[in-house]
PDB file of all heavy atoms in Angstrom:
ATOM      1  N   ASN A 171      95.096  62.394  70.831  1.00 97.00           N
ATOM      2  CA  ASN A 171      94.695  61.678  72.000  1.00 97.00           C
ATOM      3  C   ASN A 171      94.228  62.651  73.137  1.00 97.00           C
ATOM      4  O   ASN A 171      94.174  63.817  72.918  1.00 97.00           O
ATOM      5  CB  ASN A 171      95.733  60.710  72.509  1.00 97.00           C
ATOM      6  CG  ASN A 171      96.252  59.738  71.546  1.00 97.00           C
ATOM      7  OD1 ASN A 171      95.601  59.562  70.485  1.00 97.00           O
ATOM      8  ND2 ASN A 171      97.350  59.052  71.753  1.00 97.00           N
ATOM      9  N   ARG A 172      93.926  62.003  74.252  1.00 96.00           N
ATOM     10  CA  ARG A 172      93.589  62.873  75.390  1.00 96.00           C
ATOM     11  C   ARG A 172      94.110  62.292  76.658  1.00 96.00           C
ATOM     12  O   ARG A 172      94.648  61.155  76.734  1.00 96.00           O
ATOM     13  CB  ARG A 172      92.061  63.179  75.416  1.00 96.00           C
ATOM     14  CG  ARG A 172      91.260  61.823  75.610  1.00 96.00           C
ATOM     15  CD  ARG A 172      89.758  62.227  75.529  1.00 96.00           C
ATOM     16  NE  ARG A 172      88.969  61.042  75.887  1.00 96.00           N
ATOM     17  CZ  ARG A 172      87.750  60.754  75.356  1.00 96.00           C
ATOM     18  NH1 ARG A 172      87.250  61.548  74.445  1.00 96.00           N
ATOM     19  NH2 ARG A 172      87.187  59.800  75.679  1.00 96.00           N
ATOM     20  N   GLY A 173      93.924  63.011  77.803  1.00 98.00           N
ATOM     21  CA  GLY A 173      94.404  62.565  79.010  1.00 98.00           C
ATOM     22  C   GLY A 173      95.971  62.491  79.071  1.00 98.00           C
ATOM     23  O   GLY A 173      96.676  63.107  78.228  1.00 98.00           O
ATOM     24  N   TYR A 174      96.434  61.554  79.875  1.00 98.00           N
ATOM     25  CA  TYR A 174      97.950  61.396  79.821  1.00 98.00           C
ATOM     26  C   TYR A 174      98.448  60.754  78.609  1.00 98.00           C
ATOM     27  O   TYR A 174      99.727  60.654  78.398  1.00 98.00           O
ATOM     28  CB  TYR A 174      98.340  60.596  81.174  1.00 98.00           C
ATOM     29  CG  TYR A 174      97.902  59.129  81.121  1.00 98.00           C
ATOM     30  CD1 TYR A 174      98.779  58.146  80.623  1.00 98.00           C
ATOM     31  CD2 TYR A 174      96.666  58.855  81.589  1.00 98.00           C
ATOM     32  CE1 TYR A 174      98.273  56.836  80.685  1.00 98.00           C
ATOM     33  CE2 TYR A 174      96.229  57.534  81.567  1.00 98.00           C
ATOM     34  CZ  TYR A 174      97.031  56.503  81.090  1.00 98.00           C
ATOM     35  OH  TYR A 174      96.580  55.243  81.108  1.00 98.00           O
ATOM     36  N   LYS A 175      97.537  60.381  77.686  1.00 98.00           N
ATOM     37  CA  LYS A 175      98.054  59.760  76.477  1.00 98.00           C
ATOM     38  C   LYS A 175      98.215  60.730  75.357  1.00 98.00           C
ATOM     39  O   LYS A 175      98.525  60.472  74.197  1.00 98.00           O
ATOM     40  CB  LYS A 175      97.080  58.659  76.070  1.00 98.00           C
ATOM     41  CG  LYS A 175      97.034  57.548  77.026  1.00 98.00           C
ATOM     42  CD  LYS A 175      96.001  56.490  76.582  1.00 98.00           C
ATOM     43  CE  LYS A 175      95.855  55.385  77.540  1.00 98.00           C
ATOM     44  NZ  LYS A 175      94.452  54.964  77.723  1.00 98.00           N
ATOM     45  N   VAL A 176      98.016  62.024  75.709  1.00 98.00           N
ATOM     46  CA  VAL A 176      98.185  63.110  74.663  1.00 98.00           C
ATOM     47  C   VAL A 176      99.640  63.076  74.062  1.00 98.00           C
ATOM     48  O   VAL A 176     100.612  62.804  74.768  1.00 98.00           O
ATOM     49  CB  VAL A 176      97.916  64.509  75.152  1.00 98.00           C
ATOM     50  CG1 VAL A 176      96.470  64.801  75.309  1.00 98.00           C
ATOM     51  CG2 VAL A 176      98.724  64.855  76.366  1.00 98.00           C
ATOM     52  N   ARG A 177      99.734  63.353  72.751  1.00 98.00           N
ATOM     53  CA  ARG A 177     101.088  63.412  72.147  1.00 98.00           C
ATOM     54  C   ARG A 177     100.995  64.500  71.071  1.00 98.00           C
ATOM     55  O   ARG A 177      99.942  64.831  70.483  1.00 98.00           O
ATOM     56  CB  ARG A 177     101.368  62.032  71.403  1.00 98.00           C
ATOM     57  CG  ARG A 177     101.504  60.846  72.289  1.00 98.00           C
ATOM     58  CD  ARG A 177     102.733  60.928  73.177  1.00 98.00           C
ATOM     59  NE  ARG A 177     102.974  59.685  73.922  1.00 98.00           N
ATOM     60  CZ  ARG A 177     102.403  59.423  75.108  1.00 98.00           C
ATOM     61  NH1 ARG A 177     101.708  60.362  75.694  1.00 98.00           N
ATOM     62  NH2 ARG A 177     102.622  58.368  75.738  1.00 98.00           N
ATOM     63  N   ILE A 178     102.233  65.189  70.884  1.00 98.00           N
ATOM     64  CA  ILE A 178     102.350  66.059  69.791  1.00 98.00           C
ATOM     65  C   ILE A 178     102.417  65.364  68.516  1.00 98.00           C
ATOM     66  O   ILE A 178     103.082  64.292  68.448  1.00 98.00           O
ATOM     67  CB  ILE A 178     103.632  66.882  70.108  1.00 98.00           C
ATOM     68  CG1 ILE A 178     103.571  67.759  71.316  1.00 98.00           C
ATOM     69  CG2 ILE A 178     103.928  67.835  68.908  1.00 98.00           C
ATOM     70  CD1 ILE A 178     102.513  68.893  71.342  1.00 98.00           C
ATOM     71  N   ILE A 179     101.764  65.842  67.468  1.00 98.00           N
ATOM     72  CA  ILE A 179     101.855  65.082  66.156  1.00 98.00           C
ATOM     73  C   ILE A 179     102.327  66.048  65.118  1.00 98.00           C
ATOM     74  O   ILE A 179     102.061  67.316  65.249  1.00 98.00           O
ATOM     75  CB  ILE A 179     100.541  64.432  65.722  1.00 98.00           C
ATOM     76  CG1 ILE A 179      99.398  65.525  65.851  1.00 98.00           C
ATOM     77  CG2 ILE A 179     100.240  63.215  66.591  1.00 98.00           C
ATOM     78  CD1 ILE A 179      98.181  64.921  65.093  1.00 98.00           C
ATOM     79  N   SER A 180     103.007  65.450  64.105  1.00 98.00           N
ATOM     80  CA  SER A 180     103.493  66.237  62.918  1.00 98.00           C
ATOM     81  C   SER A 180     102.412  66.010  61.818  1.00 98.00           C
ATOM     82  O   SER A 180     101.985  64.789  61.612  1.00 98.00           O
ATOM     83  CB  SER A 180     104.790  65.775  62.554  1.00 98.00           C
ATOM     84  OG  SER A 180     105.111  66.280  61.256  1.00 98.00           O
ATOM     85  N   ASP A 181     101.958  67.034  61.145  1.00 97.00           N
ATOM     86  CA  ASP A 181     100.904  66.898  60.128  1.00 97.00           C
ATOM     87  C   ASP A 181      99.806  66.110  60.704  1.00 97.00           C
ATOM     88  O   ASP A 181      99.268  66.340  61.785  1.00 97.00           O
ATOM     89  CB  ASP A 181     101.445  66.208  58.844  1.00 97.00           C
ATOM     90  CG  ASP A 181     101.908  67.473  57.847  1.00 97.00           C
ATOM     91  OD1 ASP A 181     101.702  68.559  58.194  1.00 97.00           O
ATOM     92  OD2 ASP A 181     102.392  67.042  56.679  1.00 97.00           O
ATOM     93  N   PHE A 182      99.344  65.147  59.878  1.00 94.00           N
ATOM     94  CA  PHE A 182      98.242  64.264  60.362  1.00 94.00           C
ATOM     95  C   PHE A 182      98.853  63.015  60.947  1.00 94.00           C
ATOM     96  O   PHE A 182      98.411  61.853  60.590  1.00 94.00           O
ATOM     97  CB  PHE A 182      97.216  63.965  59.242  1.00 94.00           C
ATOM     98  CG  PHE A 182      96.375  65.023  58.866  1.00 94.00           C
ATOM     99  CD1 PHE A 182      96.678  65.806  57.685  1.00 94.00           C
ATOM    100  CD2 PHE A 182      95.340  65.473  59.766  1.00 94.00           C
ATOM    101  CE1 PHE A 182      95.877  66.915  57.428  1.00 94.00           C
ATOM    102  CE2 PHE A 182      94.532  66.545  59.389  1.00 94.00           C
ATOM    103  CZ  PHE A 182      94.771  67.275  58.272  1.00 94.00           C
ATOM    104  N   ASP A 183      99.736  63.160  61.914  1.00 97.00           N
ATOM    105  CA  ASP A 183     100.223  62.059  62.672  1.00 97.00           C
ATOM    106  C   ASP A 183     101.112  61.107  61.739  1.00 97.00           C
ATOM    107  O   ASP A 183     100.880  59.892  61.722  1.00 97.00           O
ATOM    108  CB  ASP A 183      99.168  61.213  63.348  1.00 97.00           C
ATOM    109  CG  ASP A 183      99.794  60.359  64.567  1.00 97.00           C
ATOM    110  OD1 ASP A 183     101.029  60.527  64.751  1.00 97.00           O
ATOM    111  OD2 ASP A 183      99.045  59.498  64.959  1.00 97.00           O
TER     112      ASP A 183
END
Side-chain angles (χ1 to χ4, degrees):
Chain A
N171 300 347
R172 63 185 186 213
Y174 65 94
K175 295 176 185 141
V176 285
R177 295 290 183 272
I178 297 291
I179 51 168
S180 167
D181 266 359
F182 286 106
D183 200 11

